Amino acid sequence: TQQGRHVLLSDAEGKIIISLPGTNSFEARATELLAKAKQAGANQEKTNFQSLLLSNGEEILFSQHDLASPLGSLVVYETVEEALADWRESSLRLLGLIASLGLVILTLILVYWRQNLSTKETVQSFDQLNKRINTSLSRGHCGLWDWDLATGRIHWSASMFEMLGQPPRTGYLSVADINQWCHTDERDLTEIAAYLLNSDTRILDHEFRLRHRLGHWIWIRARAELVQREQGQYPRMVGIAIDVTEQKSIEAMNATAEMRLHDAVEAISEAFVVWDCENRLVLCNSKFQNLHDLPHELIQPGISYDDIMHYSAQSHVEMHIPDHFEQSAHSRAYEVLLTDRSEEHTSELQSH
């Protein structure tokens, strides 16, 4: 049959009268099978399949049924090889399916591994870049700000917390958090944000004081810009904050030194003036200004000697250098005879 089974029908004397399929090879096998089937099935249940080994080494599965006279018996058989053919084919298909599925899983694992490796490399590169940025910001005494004006959430870089001596935070800060560190004389951050939103100005350049964790105040110069997002949404304020405390201290010391120098020059009992290497005014005292009757707006650093002499009310004077006055390549002291015949002692210094 198409399923690989064979049918033998014998008469009462054991002669095969029908053999399906009817080929010579099956006829020879059928004669031996019928004789052995009768002998093996004498003590067996006739409806059960039994196994039988033929003389050619072929293993057979058969079932024998006795029929009424004049017929003998009906034997249905097939080889073990034929019986297992469909199972083997199904097994091969299943193995192929499992192999294909395994290949797909292996491919997915390889893709995931490569993706995971690429993600790790990206994360490592990002971490290295982030560390470099934080190191640069820390060495430069500055920090990054990112202020979402819609929610009021503010993100600081780690270097910003370091400037204040505060432990770094991974979350967001609120305006109230920062206001508690601000000096009481400083403007509230919400006022600054409202001003920027209601004006045409998009750039912020503001100096204010924040309290360090140790209690002292540090000066911060914040430079930021409003970054517009999608239409209808509030913009973000993104920028950088720089620690200018040292600069403020230097400016204060310079102002103090300049004030003391001015007071010292004013305390000199004679007219005193300092010129640079190109004969431009650096500074002078009021006695020099009064000597030449110069207007106050004219006495500005950088004005030339010729311009001052042009406006001087004492353009015709007699200059006399006494013997006891010390002279040098860059300074001189002399006495002048004014137009009213009075004398004035003047000291000049040329700086480089």
Side-chain angles (χ1 to χ4, degrees), residues 14-33:
K15 183 180 178 180
I16 298 174
I17 56 177
I18 296 177
S19 175
L20 297 175
T23 62
N24 294 331
S25 59
F26 285 122
E27 288 288 344
R29 180 195 297 166
T31 302
E32 180 184 1
L33 172 63

Side-chain angles (χ1 to χ4, degrees), residues 115-336:
Q115 183 67 27
N116 188 43
L117 182 62
S118 176
T119 302
K120 286 183 177 179
E121 292 177 351
T122 302
V123 171
Q124 289 176 355
S125 300
F126 176 78
D127 289 341
Q128 291 178 357
L129 178 61
N130 193 36
K131 289 179 180 178
R132 292 173 184 170
I133 293 176
N134 284 331
T135 301
S136 301
L137 292 173
S138 177
R139 295 297 178 268
H141 298 282
C142 53
L144 297 179
W145 284 49
D146 186 356
W147 185 359
D148 189 345
L149 297 179
T151 61
R153 297 188 305 178
I154 301 174
H155 173 73
W156 276 5
S157 64
S159 57
M160 192 67 208
F161 290 99
E162 183 180 347
M163 282 195 296
L164 298 180
Q166 300 288 344
R169 301 184 188 179
T170 56
Y172 291 94
L173 296 172
S174 65
V175 175
D177 292 333
I178 299 179
N179 280 336
Q180 69 178 351
W181 295 329
C182 287
H183 196 279
T184 54
D185 294 339
E186 306 296 345
R187 294 176 61 187
D188 190 278
L189 291 180
T190 54
E191 295 181 6
I192 299 175
Y195 168 75
L196 290 175
L197 291 174
N198 297 324
S199 66
D200 296 333
T201 304
R202 301 184 57 84
I203 304 298
L204 172 68
D205 192 344
H206 180 61
E207 291 184 353
F208 56 98
R209 285 164 289 181
L210 292 176
R211 187 175 64 250
H212 193 273
R213 186 179 183 183
L214 299 180
H216 60 275
W217 297 97
I218 63 172
W219 278 94
I220 299 294
R221 182 180 183 182
R223 305 194 67 180
E225 181 178 359
L226 289 178
V227 179
Q228 191 66 42
R229 297 191 290 182
E230 297 181 5
Q231 188 174 4
Q233 293 185 349
Y234 275 90
R236 306 176 72 92
M237 185 181 296
V238 181
I240 190 170
I242 307 171
D243 182 359
V244 293
T245 305
E246 184 177 355
Q247 180 181 345
K248 286 288 185 179
S249 299
I250 293 175
E251 290 177 357
M253 288 188 294
N254 289 340
T256 301
E258 185 177 351
M259 181 180 63
R260 291 176 178 175
L261 177 62
H262 180 268
D263 292 342
V265 170
E266 284 295 325
I268 298 176
S269 59
E270 58 194 41
F272 181 85
V273 62
V274 179
W275 310 96
D276 63 13
C277 60
E278 297 180 0
N279 276 339
R280 292 176 302 187
L281 179 66
V282 176
L283 62 89
C284 67
N285 60 4
S286 58
K287 295 180 178 63
F288 178 84
Q289 182 179 353
N290 296 332
L291 170 65
H292 294 276
D293 195 16
L294 299 173
H296 181 72
E297 58 272 11
L298 183 66
I299 305 301
Q300 299 294 332
I303 189 171
S304 67
Y305 175 84
D306 294 335
D307 290 338
I308 288 182
M309 291 299 104
H310 175 75
Y311 289 99
S312 174
Q314 305 290 345
S315 56
H316 301 287
V317 298
E318 296 181 11
M319 185 175 66
H320 171 63
I321 303 176
D323 295 336
H324 64 277
F325 283 3
E326 294 183 0
Q327 308 295 322
S328 69
H330 308 301
S331 64
R332 62 177 178 172
Y334 54 88
E335 291 180 349
V336 293

